[in-house]
Amino acid sequence: MNERNEKPDSFKPSSYRTPDGVPTDIVVFTIASREKEGAKKALPIRELQVMLIQRKMWPFEGKWALPGGFTRDTETVHECARRELEEETGVSGVLLEYFNVYSAPGRDPRGWMISHAFFALVREGCLAGRSPSDEAAEVVLFPVEEALEMELAFDHAVILRDALERIRHQMLTTTIAKEFLPEQFTISELYQVIRTVAPAFEERNFLRKVTSTQSRKGILEEVLDSDGRPAVSNRYSQRPAQLYRFTDYAPELSIYG
Amino acid sequence: MNERNEKPDSFKPSSYRTPDGVPTDIVVFTIASREKEGAKKALPIRELQVMLIQRKMWPFEGKWALPGGFTRDTETVHECARRELEEETGVSGVLLEYFNVYSAPGRDPRGWMISHAFFALVREGCLAGRSPSDEAAEVVLFPVEEALEMELAFDHAVILRDALERIRHQMLTTTIAKEFLPEQFTISELYQVIRTVAPAFEERNFLRKVTSTQSRKGILEEVLDSDGRPAVSNRYSQRPAQLYRFTDYAPELSIYG
DNA sequence: TGAATAGTGTCTATGAGACATTATTAG
DNA sequence: CTAATAATGTCTCATAGACACTATTCA
């Protein structure tokens, strides 16, 4: 590294104050399913939930907050988020994506803290064996609608709103729906997952649109059984529904054409 | 603020090392126009350029780098980027958007530095009266293609590539093209700007697609002159071309419908 | 049989894509 | 006239959107 000469004697790292810490905050989303009342074979009711922990230390003792922790000098903020997610929920290998930085002076009474916010999308059930860590008194999944109304610690209410806005957008413009679905799924399941995250999305002819030979722009493919016939499932319906999976293809969107 | 109790005596801000600084790096893009050779009335040749400064201090003395500076404890990283942009280029009121954090340990030989990267889109000419600051020996606009081949200081080559990828995507999915255009413009101008940033974009029937009564999904509107007739310009053509402007409308994109 | 979801038929209007053609002005 | 760009005509086929209709299975 020839550009990394000796550090001159005159160099001082900074004559300004430096941050007191660089935490990450992780907005862990999951979709919970409940069987419908009338116990007949029917589509489950799905609900978007977010993981919160109850703080047991100053500041905001007793308040609900997003999970997270401080970045170390041996890791990137992304590695920190991955580590904290695993420590606090035991899950790994799930989608974890950075989405914004929160740096307003005074946002953390402990000092100058610049926080990096991530969202994680976790399949229901992966969060089964979770246990409170040192930092948290309790770890609970709340319905998003409920969490949005709560008084959260720090600026976490803002972070949660931003995360929700982000995954709503991503749900429609990328294939992150797959994070909430099994590898093979029916079109109704897919539609339900999309609508659970982004209720504003409504397509009358969703099935046809996404499967018709030309119109499925390659994002989905039929699942075939060992005989080469379309595989079906009757998990959620009387009449068996055809199974699909996502391909690796991601279409390019444009407002111009 | 009842949750902000007194800080307990036992509280220590952190028992871990804290960062030595939180810089911002700003990728300033502009589009330069040159008249075509044959001096006839013709569309100009446009080129995407990026602003670099030549460092005159350790580390990476003499290397080209992105402009930027250290965040203070009285401002957000966004405010820091806005301030640095103004200090180093004199421009204000332009699009400045955060896009990623760079936190790999060892990315800065001065210490543990977590950098926040922004891109700015600046109209040609706004960068006229720029002058070198304390930090930089020289401030120069490079063609992006050229800058991509250079050995930049720190991890700025990666940041530049990421920024370019980001504005290419945004050019097609948002109306940031307006940052490079006058308030009123012809369809050819718009097409040229889009293609200058995202050369892969090609639409044969661009004019028709974006203006036909139904198909312009509301992102553009005709400019009318004082008589209520469509305004035209012959800046770039023999035959006058109709002028348009962007509306405030931003369409919602979806891969599903 | 009815309940519940899956999937098709059919119609119209609009859109994309391809290419040829005409229009307008400067020089 | 020619050069250069602006804009329209025309054709085919795919698609969107609406809504009625049929299909399959369970209980």
Side-chain angles (χ1 to χ4, degrees):
Chain A
M1 312 256 186
N2 57 351
E3 53 286 88
R4 302 209 175 170
N5 307 317
E6 287 303 301
K7 185 192 258 189
D9 289 344
S10 68
F11 178 76
K12 288 171 294 176
S14 176
S15 36
Y16 293 101
R17 183 181 166 199
T18 61
D20 298 313
V22 183
T24 57
D25 291 307
I26 309 164
V27 188
V28 182
F29 290 105
T30 194
I31 290 185
S33 309
R34 281 183 294 122
E35 303 240 324
K36 225 187 212 165
E37 292 292 315
K40 306 212 170 158
K41 209 164 208 176
L43 287 168
I45 293 171
R46 294 178 200 256
E47 183 181 58
L48 186 64
Q49 299 186 334
V50 63
M51 205 181 97
L52 298 176
I53 63 175
Q54 194 169 28
R55 293 186 57 83
K56 51 184 198 187
M57 292 165 57
W58 180 89
F60 299 103
E61 186 176 342
K63 289 270 175 188
W64 293 92
L66 296 170
F70 286 91
T71 308
R72 302 170 184 166
D73 64 348
T74 53
E75 66 189 1
T76 63
V77 294
H78 199 283
E79 285 159 0
C80 169
R82 180 74 63 193
R83 174 175 57 73
E84 295 286 349
L85 178 62
E86 163 117 44
E87 283 175 16
E88 307 219 35
T89 71
V91 304
S92 60
V94 301
L95 179 68
L96 177 69
E97 196 173 308
Y98 176 62
F99 70 92
N100 208 2
V101 59
Y102 295 86
S103 59
R107 60 175 292 281
D108 188 323
R110 291 171 297 188
W112 183 15
M113 305 291 186
I114 292 180
S115 180
H116 297 92
F118 293 74
F119 66 82
L121 304 187
V122 181
R123 252 171 282 258
E124 188 177 19
C126 292
L127 293 173
R130 65 187 185 278
S131 61
S133 74
D134 268 5
E135 288 266 342
E138 216 178 337
V139 183
V140 174
L141 288 171
F142 287 89
V144 162
E145 290 306 317
E146 196 173 318
L148 284 171
E149 301 296 317
M150 293 165 63
E151 255 195 36
L152 303 182
F154 307 101
D155 49 4
H156 288 189
V158 173
I159 297 177
L160 171 60
R161 274 201 298 279
D162 292 351
L164 185 59
E165 187 184 338
R166 174 66 70 107
I167 69 162
R168 282 192 171 143
H169 185 252
Q170 302 240 115
M171 181 59 61
L172 299 182
T173 56
T174 73
T175 56
I176 58 165
K178 74 170 79 132
E179 302 298 323
F180 288 132
L181 288 167
E183 195 246 335
Q184 304 177 8
F185 50 85
T186 68
I187 301 302
S188 301
E189 278 184 284
L190 171 60
Y191 187 58
Q192 249 202 341
V193 164
I194 295 172
R195 299 231 24 195
T196 301
V197 174
F201 181 79
E202 191 178 329
E203 288 289 339
R204 315 252 188 204
N205 290 339
F206 185 71
L207 183 148
R208 164 175 285 160
K209 218 161 180 172
V210 99
T211 62
S212 72
T213 322
Q214 316 278 52
S215 148
R216 111 184 69 168
K217 284 130 195 160
I219 60 176
L220 295 184
E221 64 185 6
E222 296 181 344
V223 176
L224 301 179
D225 65 17
S226 48
D227 303 335
R229 311 177 70 84
V232 293
S233 155
N234 64 345
R235 236 176 319 181
Y236 300 126
S237 58
Q238 323 285 24
R239 171 171 175 176
Q242 197 171 343
L243 290 169
Y244 291 84
R245 68 164 73 89
F246 277 103
T247 65
D248 289 334
Y249 174 69
E252 300 201 349
L253 296 171
S254 161
I255 61 173
Y256 295 113
Chain B
M1 311 264 187
N2 57 351
E3 54 283 90
R4 303 211 174 170
N5 307 317
E6 286 303 299
K7 185 193 260 189
D9 289 343
S10 69
F11 178 77
K12 289 171 293 173
S14 175
S15 38
Y16 294 101
R17 184 182 165 197
T18 61
D20 299 312
V22 183
T24 58
D25 292 306
I26 308 163
V27 188
V28 182
F29 290 105
T30 193
I31 289 184
S33 310
R34 282 183 293 122
E35 303 241 322
K36 226 188 211 165
E37 292 291 314
K40 305 212 170 159
K41 209 161 207 178
L43 289 167
I45 294 171
R46 293 179 200 255
E47 183 181 56
L48 186 64
Q49 300 185 333
V50 62
M51 206 181 96
L52 298 177
I53 63 174
Q54 193 169 28
R55 292 185 59 81
K56 53 184 197 187
M57 291 167 58
W58 180 88
F60 301 102
E61 185 176 341
K63 289 267 176 189
W64 294 92
L66 297 170
F70 286 91
T71 308
R72 302 172 185 165
D73 64 350
T74 53
E75 65 189 2
T76 64
V77 294
H78 200 285
E79 284 159 359
C80 169
R82 180 73 63 191
R83 175 175 57 73
E84 295 286 347
L85 178 62
E86 163 117 41
E87 284 174 17
E88 307 218 34
T89 71
V91 305
S92 61
V94 302
L95 179 67
L96 177 68
E97 195 173 308
Y98 176 62
F99 69 92
N100 207 2
V101 60
Y102 295 86
S103 59
R107 61 174 292 281
D108 189 322
R110 290 170 296 188
W112 183 15
M113 304 292 186
I114 292 180
S115 180
H116 297 91
F118 293 74
F119 67 81
L121 303 188
V122 182
R123 254 171 281 258
E124 189 178 18
C126 292
L127 295 173
R130 65 188 184 278
S131 61
S133 74
D134 267 5
E135 288 265 342
E138 217 178 337
V139 183
V140 174
L141 288 170
F142 288 90
V144 161
E145 291 305 317
E146 196 174 318
L148 285 170
E149 300 296 317
M150 292 165 64
E151 254 195 37
L152 303 182
F154 307 101
D155 49 5
H156 288 189
V158 173
I159 297 176
L160 171 59
R161 274 201 297 280
D162 292 352
L164 185 58
E165 187 185 339
R166 174 66 71 108
I167 69 161
R168 283 193 170 143
H169 185 253
Q170 302 241 111
M171 182 58 61
L172 300 182
T173 56
T174 73
T175 56
I176 58 165
K178 76 171 76 136
E179 302 298 324
F180 289 131
L181 288 167
E183 196 246 334
Q184 305 178 7
F185 50 86
T186 68
I187 300 304
S188 301
E189 277 183 284
L190 171 58
Y191 186 60
Q192 249 201 342
V193 164
I194 295 172
R195 299 230 26 194
T196 300
V197 175
F201 180 80
E202 192 179 329
E203 288 290 338
R204 316 253 189 204
N205 289 339
F206 185 72
L207 183 148
R208 164 174 286 161
K209 219 161 180 173
V210 99
T211 61
S212 71
T213 321
Q214 315 278 54
S215 147
R216 111 180 74 167
K217 284 130 195 160
I219 61 175
L220 296 184
E221 65 186 6
E222 297 180 343
V223 176
L224 301 179
D225 64 17
S226 48
D227 303 335
R229 311 178 70 84
V232 294
S233 155
N234 65 345
R235 236 177 318 180
Y236 301 126
S237 59
Q238 323 286 24
R239 172 173 174 175
Q242 198 172 342
L243 289 169
Y244 292 84
R245 68 164 73 90
F246 278 101
T247 65
D248 289 335
Y249 173 67
E252 300 202 348
L253 296 171
S254 160
I255 61 173
Y256 295 112

